[in-house]
Amino acid sequence: ALLHYMINFDLQALRYLCTHRTLGKDLITMWYSRSGSTRDEVELLLMKLMNEEDGSKTISDGLEEQQVVKFVTDLRAKRQMQVAKATGGANLLNPEKYNPSGMPLEADRVVEDKEREADLAKIDTAKLSQYMVTLIPRNTRDPVVVDTMAGTGRVCIELANRLQHLSVHVYGNETSPQVVDYLNRRAHLPETPASSNTEVASKDSDSRTCSNFTAVMSPDGTLEGLPVGADVALMLSVWTYASEPVDLLNAACAKLKKGGKLMLIEDDVNLLAHAKKAALQGGLVLYSEPDLLKDHFISVFTTAA
């Protein structure tokens, strides 16, 4: 009865639930241990939470990556069997047509966010921001940096924090209005850089909010809404996570000013090779390949001056 009541909570109540850090772990433990209608109601509550940005983060943060992946895999298998019974097995032959309610796609987002957050946690934003400053010509008025796929904002908001004293405005692009809203809210909270980032660009960068950060929503594969004339465009793990990375690269090139720099960063040297090929085919010129980051490879390209 309590679960049934929780499922019918309004949005404010659901967001209150998201503040309980062990909630995701407790619900997933219950999903495995119960059966019948109780398990179904736990599942419905989990899906509602996954549809909320804060709920997704609560579930993701409360579990190890392997636990989230196992849950998503088991949930997908359960739903496939449910649809198989209803379709006589047709969904097993054409899974895209018979995707059950889109629910696994929401769960997949949690897994992707967890994986991407772990990837971004390895980025030393102190070193990255210090190098970015060298890419912007001295005396540039109102310099602009664009992050083509902001994700959770872990890197781009930290960069904005570190570049704020230089009046650099950082724009983060995302395709979901909920994510854009989350990024803009996160930017106005005190930001603590990752513990591995021991160097800072300004003495009080750990405690300030980011007045120099703006998240913008664009359709997938585009950067509509972002300003033209950027000094630096950052493409971080785009070839790892984006569905249309070449389209995004071409859109980034169109946003750069003459002499602007495109930074390609991947943790897989083979993926970076694909990205470099696309940049060269797009008419860019290789500018530098700095050895800045421990677990990532960087190639910087420039437009014609």
Side-chain angles (χ1 to χ4, degrees):
L2 178 60
L3 277 171
H4 181 74
Y5 177 67
M6 290 170 70
I7 290 167
N8 291 284
F9 269 2
D10 60 18
L11 183 59
Q12 185 176 359
L14 279 173
R15 287 178 174 170
Y16 171 76
L17 286 176
C18 294
T19 63
H20 294 267
R21 298 188 64 82
T22 63
L23 179 65
K25 182 177 181 179
D26 293 341
L27 287 174
I28 290 175
T29 298
M30 191 180 296
W31 186 81
Y32 279 108
S33 63
R34 303 299 175 89
S35 60
S37 60
T38 301
R39 190 186 197 195
D40 291 340
E41 290 187 334
V42 170
E43 189 174 305
L44 284 173
L45 183 55
L46 280 165
M47 292 304 103
K48 281 200 169 189
L49 288 168
M50 286 180 179
N51 278 318
E52 282 293 308
E53 187 68 33
D54 292 339
S56 292
K57 189 175 187 302
T58 297
I59 293 172
S60 180
D61 288 349
L63 295 165
E64 296 294 331
E65 181 180 327
Q66 295 84 352
Q67 292 175 307
V68 180
V69 172
K70 184 179 186 304
F71 168 67
V72 171
T73 301
D74 293 343
L75 177 60
R76 183 184 294 114
K78 175 180 178 287
R79 289 186 169 272
Q80 284 178 339
M81 291 309 299
Q82 287 175 330
V83 179
K85 291 180 180 179
T87 64
N91 67 302
L92 302 178
L93 298 175
N94 191 352
E96 292 185 2
K97 179 179 179 180
Y98 293 96
N99 177 47
S101 305
M103 294 299 189
L105 300 181
E106 291 297 335
D108 283 344
R109 188 188 72 188
V110 178
V111 177
E112 182 175 313
D113 286 348
K114 183 77 171 178
E115 293 172 342
R116 183 162 168 76
E117 188 75 4
D119 182 32
L120 297 182
K122 302 173 185 176
I123 300 295
D124 189 331
T125 56
K127 290 183 178 179
L128 190 59
S129 62
Q130 289 166 359
Y131 179 72
M132 275 187 173
V133 171
T134 70
L135 300 179
I136 301 172
R138 289 181 179 274
N139 302 320
T140 298
R141 185 177 179 179
D142 301 324
V144 169
V145 170
V146 170
D147 185 347
T148 59
M149 203 168 78
T152 63
R154 183 179 189 118
V155 169
C156 57
I157 293 176
E158 282 189 20
L159 287 174
N161 219 333
R162 295 181 182 282
L163 296 171
Q164 190 167 194
H165 71 296
L166 296 173
S167 300
V168 177
H169 200 97
V170 178
Y171 290 86
N173 174 68
E174 267 300 333
T175 60
S176 162
Q178 291 84 6
V179 175
V180 168
D181 179 64
Y182 166 77
L183 289 170
N184 283 320
R185 285 187 287 113
R186 178 173 180 173
H188 289 88
L189 296 173
E191 185 71 11
T192 302
S195 59
S196 62
N197 300 346
T198 55
E199 302 176 57
V200 293
S202 62
K203 293 181 180 179
D204 60 345
S205 65
D206 290 10
S207 59
R208 296 183 307 185
T209 58
C210 293
S211 60
N212 62 322
F213 176 82
T214 305
V216 176
M217 186 183 73
S218 304
D220 196 17
T222 78
L223 295 176
E224 294 179 14
L226 291 178
V228 176
D231 297 277
V232 180
L234 174 64
M235 299 191 72
L236 173 56
S237 297
V238 168
W239 257 255
T240 301
Y241 295 103
S243 58
E244 301 292 342
V246 176
D247 290 347
L248 207 52
L249 182 143
N250 291 333
C253 293
K255 294 296 180 180
L256 288 171
K257 63 171 58 172
K258 289 185 178 180
K261 305 299 188 296
L262 177 73
M263 293 190 72
L264 302 173
I265 305 179
E266 297 287 341
D267 63 357
D268 185 320
V269 68
N270 294 317
L271 288 177
L272 183 62
H274 289 296
K276 290 167 63 176
K277 181 179 179 180
L280 292 170
Q281 289 176 341
L284 297 180
V285 178
L286 183 63
Y287 176 81
S288 177
E289 293 189 297
D291 184 16
L292 291 178
L293 306 176
K294 181 179 179 181
D295 297 300
H296 290 75
F297 305 92
I298 305 175
S299 290
V300 181
F301 286 80
T302 184
T303 64

